[in-house]
Amino acid sequence: MTIFEKSVAGRKGYELPVYDVEELTCEIPQHLVRKEPPMLPEVSEVDVVRHYTDLAMKNYSVDRGFYPLGSCTMKYNPKINEDMAALFTDIHPFQPRETITGAVKLMGHLKELLCEITGTDDMTLQPAAGAHGELTGLLVARAYFEDKGELEKRRKVLVPDSAHGTNPASAAMAGFEVVELKSGEDGCVNLDELKTHLDESVAVIMLTNPNTLGLFEKDILKIAQMAHEVGALLYYDGANLNAIMGRTRPGDMGFDIVHLNLHKTFSTPHGMGGPGSGPIGVKKHLAPYLPVPVVRKTESGYDLDYNLPKSIGMVRSFYGNFLVMVKAYTYILTMGNKGLKHVSDMAVLNANYLRKKLSKLYQVAYDRICMHEFVIDNEEFAKKTGVKTLDIAKRILDYGMHAPTVYFPLIVHEAMMIEPTETESKMTLDKFVEIMEKIYNEAHSDPELVKKAPYTTPIRRLDDVTATKFPVFRFKK
């Protein structure tokens, strides 16, 4: 039931002060004056509190349980991050510069820490999300080649077939032609395939390392060399940085542009559309093209540098999602150097523990030592039982856990991508294995039970086709 359906005429949960304005100082244009009052629900305060508390209890979050979404790094969000962000909620970017020196200093120090972690020379904190960071990075690449007089010939961006879908989308939005690279039999970039496409018409190669199969690109140094020999740039999708943080750096691998997800790797909450933060770091030859302003260290502290004549301009209002930066900054300082290394170690250990346990029941695509995530291939399982990946995912919900990412990457049919992150205990991992074993047995003994799941959720299976073709975005009375 929606809040509108609980509305009762004349009921209210507030009392406005007496209207004491004698007259308006300016006349509202007639086309902006409402002809009818807005359709708002008439409810009491207790109605509102109970309604939204009930909705919150129906929701699922990482605070409630295991959230093994592959390539999403749904790690626990420490509450100290929220406490620190709350200290900055009373400031505003329109304030005089001299009154926000602490905020600017925080951004400056965060930038330095992220440059150190990624092995880059400069960075913008402006992008508001991962895909926004991708687009920003590609616009920087575009400006770089335009400045060199090469943009007309460098029209292509090479993207592996295992890439996140935002990679080709961002490249297309930046005005490039997308060329797909087919993965090798080992799940990694096929160097022979790369050679057939790599020439001076290529502007950028976009890679995720480890890739979406959870596999480290073992030939990354050779790939970087091949890219740079033809004058192309190498772009790093930072969605999977959690696997290597503190152990190796994208900049040291040869990447020219590195995008990050503060809302994944650095523990700030994400999902449901935001808020996010997708900074991009660059090597020094690309620094002149970064969005303005860039935070710089000066003799007197930190300041905002707008003097970048070759900049692509602003890509976000003001300086980016500042409170997300505060949370990520708190996380980095809390963890420290050794802590960040331990994060990656435990993320890889947890993934391999689950991979080994589940491989006894399910077929693992590219079943070898993985990084932070791995992919189950249920194609043969579905043929034998009639139970598909989606059915398994829906049945997991009945057992009180969130389902992994399904049907991605696209190169694995009936894919289920599992990323446990470092914050989960062995007890939680064993519980997930137990649930997957139960579903495995159910699929063989009573497949219809699994195919009709879920049974315990507030809403059962949706008609996906109808929901996609005829979406309902608002309440209609």
Side-chain angles (χ1 to χ4, degrees):
M1 180 179 287
T2 68
I3 191 69
F4 290 93
E5 292 169 291
K6 296 179 180 179
S7 179
V8 176
R11 182 176 290 176
K12 54 187 177 181
Y14 63 90
E15 194 71 44
L16 291 176
V18 177
Y19 183 74
D20 59 356
V21 178
E22 294 183 4
E23 60 181 76
L24 294 174
T25 56
C26 61
E27 185 175 344
I28 300 175
Q30 283 302 305
H31 70 282
L32 296 178
V33 177
R34 287 185 179 274
K35 304 298 185 290
E36 298 176 1
M39 188 184 73
L40 298 175
E42 297 180 72
V43 288
S44 67
E45 180 177 329
V46 69
D47 292 334
V48 174
V49 171
R50 286 176 178 170
H51 176 76
Y52 287 104
T53 299
D54 182 54
L55 286 181
M57 291 174 68
K58 290 177 180 178
N59 195 16
Y60 191 87
S61 70
V62 75
D63 282 358
R64 289 190 60 186
F66 189 39
Y67 221 121
L69 279 176
S71 243
C72 291
T73 314
M74 302 295 286
K75 64 173 71 179
Y76 174 70
N77 313 130
K79 297 303 171 274
I80 188 175
N81 297 354
E82 304 298 323
D83 292 339
M84 296 302 102
L87 299 175
F88 291 87
T89 54
D90 289 335
I91 62 173
H92 193 281
F94 277 148
Q95 287 181 219
R97 166 66 188 81
E98 61 270 16
T99 68
I100 56 168
T101 54
V104 175
K105 180 179 180 180
L106 187 150
M107 289 189 291
H109 193 208
L110 174 62
K111 186 189 90 165
E112 292 170 354
L113 292 171
L114 294 176
C115 283
E116 175 61 26
I117 291 169
T118 58
T120 52
D121 301 317
D122 208 347
M123 182 170 289
T124 176
L125 302 173
Q126 267 189 46
H132 193 195
E134 288 179 15
L135 177 61
T136 302
L138 288 163
L139 291 176
V140 165
R142 182 185 177 92
Y144 168 74
F145 286 116
E146 187 171 24
D147 191 33
K148 293 182 67 179
E150 297 181 12
L151 184 59
E152 189 172 337
K153 71 174 182 179
R154 294 196 182 270
R155 305 306 307 158
K156 297 177 182 177
V157 171
L158 306 186
V159 181
D161 55 8
S162 63
H164 295 102
T166 51
N167 285 185
S170 297
M173 286 188 69
F176 291 106
E177 174 191 343
V178 179
V179 178
E180 183 179 88
L181 295 176
K182 296 193 179 302
S183 298
E185 293 183 1
D186 61 353
C188 296
V189 172
N190 184 322
L191 295 185
D192 291 332
E193 167 82 357
L194 178 60
K195 287 177 185 176
T196 63
H197 296 287
L198 196 55
D199 56 32
E200 292 190 356
S201 68
V202 175
V204 181
I205 303 175
M206 301 183 77
L207 292 181
T208 308
N209 195 23
N211 64 25
T212 58
L213 295 165
L215 305 174
F216 190 84
E217 293 286 354
K218 62 185 185 304
D219 295 317
I220 187 59
L221 296 180
K222 178 63 177 175
I223 294 170
Q225 179 186 349
M226 292 169 64
H228 294 150
E229 282 177 352
V230 298
L233 299 174
L234 193 58
Y235 169 95
Y236 182 84
D237 180 330
N240 296 341
L241 184 70
N242 208 52
I244 63 171
M245 184 169 53
R247 287 295 175 186
T248 186
R249 307 189 305 174
D252 297 338
M253 300 177 200
F255 286 94
D256 303 284
I257 305 170
V258 178
H259 126 252
L260 299 173
N261 290 307
L262 298 189
H263 51 281
K264 288 185 180 184
T265 314
F266 298 97
S267 83
T268 73
H270 68 293
M272 301 301 289
S277 181
I280 62 159
V282 297
K283 291 294 190 175
K284 59 184 179 182
H285 57 286
L286 297 174
Y289 310 98
L290 286 173
V292 290
V294 174
V295 187
R296 303 276 189 216
K297 192 168 187 177
T298 65
E299 293 182 0
S300 58
Y302 291 88
D303 208 346
L304 300 170
D305 183 6
Y306 287 87
N307 187 27
L308 276 76
K310 297 181 180 181
S311 168
I312 63 170
M314 296 184 75
V315 296
R316 177 74 166 83
S317 56
F318 306 115
Y319 319 119
N321 284 337
F322 176 68
L323 294 184
V324 180
M325 300 177 205
V326 176
K327 297 172 190 179
Y329 182 67
T330 303
Y331 177 74
I332 293 171
L333 294 186
T334 302
M335 300 304 295
N337 191 335
K338 291 182 180 179
L340 293 179
K341 289 179 181 177
H342 190 59
V343 163
S344 294
D345 291 350
M346 291 307 299
V348 172
L349 179 62
N350 281 355
N352 279 284
Y353 180 77
L354 279 186
R355 177 188 61 82
K356 196 67 176 177
K357 287 279 188 177
L358 293 177
S359 65
K360 297 175 183 178
L361 301 172
Y362 300 88
Q363 180 180 337
V364 176
Y366 309 99
D367 192 9
R368 61 181 187 270
I369 296 294
C370 65
M371 297 298 286
H372 66 305
E373 66 189 5
F374 63 98
V375 178
I376 288 176
D377 184 349
N378 287 317
E379 187 170 19
E380 290 302 316
F381 185 86
K383 289 178 181 178
K384 290 178 182 178
T385 65
V387 173
K388 297 183 177 181
T389 290
L390 182 64
D391 302 322
I392 298 172
K394 295 294 187 183
R395 186 60 174 151
I396 290 172
L397 305 182
D398 285 330
Y399 287 105
M401 286 189 174
H402 200 284
T405 299
V406 297
Y407 299 114
F408 181 79
L410 300 178
I411 60 174
V412 178
H413 299 155
E414 294 296 324
M416 176 175 280
M417 186 197 295
I418 300 171
E419 180 186 1
T421 81
E422 76 283 357
T423 56
E424 302 300 336
S425 67
K426 181 176 179 296
M427 183 184 301
T428 299
L429 302 183
D430 287 340
K431 180 65 177 177
F432 180 70
V433 172
E434 179 185 325
I435 290 170
M436 292 293 284
E437 184 174 358
K438 286 180 179 178
I439 296 172
Y440 177 89
N441 293 330
E442 290 171 349
H444 286 84
S445 62
D446 189 1
E448 288 303 311
L449 175 71
V450 184
K451 291 164 72 173
K452 292 180 180 178
Y455 301 92
T456 62
T457 52
I459 298 175
R460 294 190 62 186
R461 290 212 187 190
L462 298 174
D463 181 342
D464 293 338
V465 175
T466 301
T468 300
K469 292 185 175 295
F470 306 101
V472 178
F473 294 115
R474 66 181 181 89
F475 173 76
K476 296 179 181 178
K477 193 170 182 179

